[in-house]
Amino acid sequence: DEASLAVATHALSKLYGRSTALEAVDLRVPEGAVYMLAGENGAGKSTLLRLLLNLEQPTSGRAEVTGLATDRHGARVRARVGYVPEGFGMGPRWMTVERWLAERTVYYPAWDAGYADALCRRLDIDVSRRIGQLSKGQTRRAQIVAALAHRPPLLLLDEPSDGLDPAARDTVLELVSDHLSQTGCTILVSTHLIYELDALVDQVGVLSHGRLTTQAPRDALRDTVKAYRIRA
Ligand code: ATP
């Protein structure tokens, strides 16, 4: 039933020149699921998330996110999504975290400043700092606040624990877990590390060389998941 899918892609493909990043991907993320998109580096995970946000266009195929066609409703889709991008790009080096967060209210009408403050305190973020002075871990934590503070129905998290130390990783897990129980949102998390939000995951998809080779409830994939655990 398409209506109860938070994310659906139909033969989604992406080529960069002659190299295939994604090939005929049919992703199905049920509403309310925590879906782990597993795969080695270069498997196409980040490309898939960028296509879902219409930050890039597919070579062929199409996608619906929260019931909206991404090619026609890119801005509406982005407003409904909390996105933690790959890497640590944030904003101009001179801008304070406080100002950077405040500017997001322009794009996110549902932005909750009180919730953003509470998240910053819980993640121990000094909002008076300038973006150029942040460590990778501090950048990641600010990106996570930005992804949650408008309480979007869908979170797209691209290796969210990248740059975090183990203590911060635990705090983020707790925080996402609380967020999940409060909002009942859907989460699509990309990772090459099995422990990424491990405790919360209930669906798993495996991308390999741009193809979605497996997609199933987590229990049905216990052995696959275990294989990843050994490599991680
Ligand atoms: P990682 O964990 O390393 O980010 P990934 O699974 O997210 O891996 P992608 O970053 O989506 O993988 O990359 C998939 C493939 O597409 C790789 O071969 C990559 O080199 C290629 N690719 C991604 N973006 C571009 C681009 N802008 N131009 C050319 N090739 C690209």
Side-chain angles (χ1 to χ4, degrees):
D1 176 11
E2 295 285 305
S4 58
L5 293 173
V7 177
T9 71
H10 310 275
L12 199 67
S13 298
K14 179 71 179 176
L15 284 118
Y16 292 107
R18 285 164 62 190
S19 107
T20 304
L22 288 176
E23 192 171 354
V25 169
D26 293 314
L27 180 73
R28 300 266 178 284
V29 181
E31 246 173 47
V34 178
Y35 188 111
M36 183 175 83
L37 188 63
E40 307 285 342
N41 287 324
K45 306 179 297 295
S46 302
T47 301
L48 180 51
L49 297 189
R50 288 196 303 271
L51 292 181
L52 294 180
L53 288 163
N54 204 37
L55 300 173
E56 282 183 73
Q57 283 71 49
T59 307
S60 60
R62 61 195 174 84
E64 278 122 39
V65 175
T66 67
L68 298 170
T70 52
D71 56 348
R72 284 186 295 136
H73 301 289
R76 282 176 72 197
V77 165
R78 287 191 291 277
R80 290 182 186 188
V81 170
Y83 177 45
V84 171
E86 175 179 45
F88 303 95
M90 221 171 113
R93 298 180 59 79
W94 53 265
M95 191 180 276
T96 64
V97 174
E98 190 169 31
R99 168 95 181 268
W100 181 74
L101 289 171
E103 291 201 346
R104 302 182 75 79
T105 58
V106 176
Y107 306 101
Y108 301 106
W111 186 267
D112 181 340
Y115 185 40
D117 286 347
L119 290 167
C120 285
R121 277 196 300 277
R122 221 167 134 188
L123 284 170
D124 202 20
I125 294 170
D126 178 358
V127 296
S128 68
R129 285 204 149 195
R130 292 178 192 281
I131 286 170
Q133 303 172 313
L134 301 179
S135 68
K136 283 186 172 177
Q138 289 163 340
T139 302
R140 207 55 169 167
R141 284 180 277 147
Q143 290 172 318
I144 288 164
V145 172
L148 299 181
H150 54 115
R151 292 200 175 82
L154 175 65
L155 296 178
L156 298 181
L157 309 177
D158 200 343
E159 312 220 8
S161 69
D162 199 11
L164 298 180
D165 60 46
R169 198 180 289 155
D170 288 347
T171 309
V172 166
L173 176 61
E174 259 174 47
L175 207 139
V176 172
S177 166
D178 288 354
H179 184 86
L180 187 63
S181 55
Q182 283 163 23
T183 64
C185 66
T186 307
I187 302 180
L188 174 58
V189 53
S190 108
T191 185
H192 63 282
L193 303 168
I194 183 59
Y195 54 75
E196 199 112 57
L197 306 182
D198 190 23
L200 304 177
V201 171
D202 48 39
Q203 296 260 327
V204 180
V206 180
L207 264 184
S208 177
H209 305 289
R211 287 188 155 272
L212 193 62
T213 54
T214 326
Q215 173 161 241
R218 178 217 185 92
D219 287 349
L221 282 177
R222 211 169 268 138
D223 291 344
T224 310
V225 171
K226 256 192 224 139
Y228 272 95
R229 191 190 305 277
I230 289 160
R231 265 206 296 278

